[in-house]
Amino acid sequence: MNWMEELFGVKKPIIAMCHLQPLPHDPYFDRDKGMDYVLDCARRDLRALQEGGVDGVMFSNEFSLPYLTEVEPITIASMGWIIGALRDEIKIPYGVNCLWDPIASLDLCVAVGGKFIREIITGVYASDFGLWNTNVGKTVRHKVDIGAKDVRMLYNIVPEAAKYLADRPIEEIARSTEFNNRPDAICVSGLTAGAETDTQVLTRVKAAVKRTPILCNTGCNIDNIVRQLSSSDGAVCATTFKYDGVFENAVDISRVRAFMDVVKDYRATLS
């Protein structure tokens, strides 16, 4: 049993994203509707995800486009206020993703009592957001300094809208990430949110690492989830749960239930 099975209570867990609407300081924040509107949307989506049967939830400032690689304090404070307001309603393990800043994600996770973060924690990339560097040594030391030793770190090694500057096979990146950084899990993604992750890439990464769980990070849907889970140890899902499968829409509980029914049937076949 790996740590994910212990935390989520199932094999191959489905971690659902709760995407927060634009926040103060974001270009598309609706100042007329204010933070109460952001909270109402988050509560609506959280309830649909939980009632639909997902195994965990991760709160993310997904609509803070275009993203920063060093998040402003107002974003951390806003996310903390929303998650704190919802905390009594959260019934499943939860984590955070403060895009795209692992230090901010750790700070937020500790403040709200989360169990895990997902971030770009290692590597150097050419991205839509400019040259994207990381400092994994500083990040891990910060984790220790703030008393976050029990926070699990999900390393996204194929960030959306970015390319690793070094021309290295994905298996080599996964192997060296595991050896040098001891991640709690490795996430493998498609090009953008909602873009299907290549199953062959998942299989190659899974074969390359020794002990680290592998998560399919984007593009899972009701038609491919069994195939994706057969090549991974779980999945992070978002767009497929939304009305009509559209990234900008609210979560549709009927889509969540149908998806999770397929997942549960698949799990029943596992020894």
Side-chain angles (χ1 to χ4, degrees):
M1 179 180 294
N2 62 43
W3 69 265
M4 290 195 304
E5 291 178 30
E6 293 177 354
L7 178 61
F8 298 105
V10 295
K11 293 180 180 292
K12 299 182 182 280
I14 301 299
I15 303 170
M17 299 301 299
C18 185
H19 290 165
L20 304 183
Q21 295 297 309
L23 303 166
H25 190 253
D26 291 339
Y28 305 108
F29 175 61
D30 191 324
R31 286 164 177 77
D32 294 328
K33 293 180 178 178
M35 283 290 287
D36 286 339
Y37 171 73
V38 180
L39 176 59
D40 289 344
C41 291
R43 176 175 285 116
R44 172 202 65 204
D45 285 353
L46 173 65
R47 288 176 176 173
L49 292 168
Q50 290 190 141
E51 292 175 20
V54 300
D55 306 303
V57 65
M58 181 156 43
F59 296 92
S60 171
N61 59 323
E62 201 77 18
F63 293 111
S64 291
L65 292 160
Y67 301 127
L68 295 169
T69 53
E70 293 184 14
V71 171
E72 298 288 348
I74 183 62
T75 301
I76 306 171
S78 298
M79 293 181 71
W81 181 79
I82 292 166
I83 298 168
L86 296 173
R87 189 170 179 183
D88 288 345
E89 301 178 43
I90 306 173
K91 308 303 181 186
I92 53 180
Y94 63 96
V96 303
N97 186 192
C98 199
L99 296 159
W100 285 104
D101 187 335
I103 297 292
S105 293
L106 282 169
D107 289 344
L108 175 62
C109 197
V110 169
V112 301
K115 299 296 186 183
F116 54 91
I117 69 166
R118 177 193 64 179
E119 261 302 342
I120 308 303
I121 302 170
T122 184
V124 183
Y125 308 88
S127 79
D128 289 354
F129 316 113
L131 184 62
W132 187 348
N133 200 358
T134 63
N135 189 334
V136 63
K138 178 181 177 181
T139 299
V140 173
R141 285 165 175 79
H142 183 76
K143 174 185 174 182
V144 174
D145 289 344
I146 64 173
K149 66 181 182 65
D150 294 329
V151 171
R152 298 292 186 168
M153 296 174 68
L154 316 183
Y155 283 55
N156 187 353
I157 63 168
V158 190
E160 300 120 72
K163 181 175 181 177
Y164 213 99
L165 281 185
D167 187 16
R168 301 167 61 200
I170 187 65
E171 306 96 307
E172 183 179 316
I173 294 170
R175 193 178 299 115
S176 64
T177 297
E178 180 182 55
F179 180 83
N180 292 314
N181 306 309
R182 301 184 181 180
D184 294 298
I186 290 175
C187 299
V188 183
S189 309
L191 179 61
T192 62
E196 183 171 349
T197 304
D198 189 324
T199 307
Q200 292 183 348
V201 172
L202 275 173
T203 301
R204 284 157 44 201
V205 171
K206 181 67 176 169
V209 301
K210 302 292 185 182
R211 59 187 177 274
T212 307
I214 303 300
L215 292 170
C216 183
N217 196 49
T218 63
C220 291
N221 57 54
I222 198 169
D223 296 319
N224 70 18
I225 187 57
V226 169
R227 182 175 76 248
Q228 300 297 58
L229 288 179
S230 69
S231 301
S232 64
D233 298 295
V236 180
C237 303
T239 302
T240 192
F241 293 147
K242 300 189 177 187
Y243 282 97
D244 300 322
V246 174
F247 172 72
E248 291 81 5
N249 289 349
V251 173
D252 178 353
I253 190 172
S254 64
R255 290 179 67 96
V256 182
R257 284 174 173 156
F259 181 98
M260 290 307 299
D261 283 345
V262 172
V263 171
K264 291 171 185 175
D265 286 345
Y266 169 67
R267 285 182 188 147
T269 68
L270 303 176
S271 57

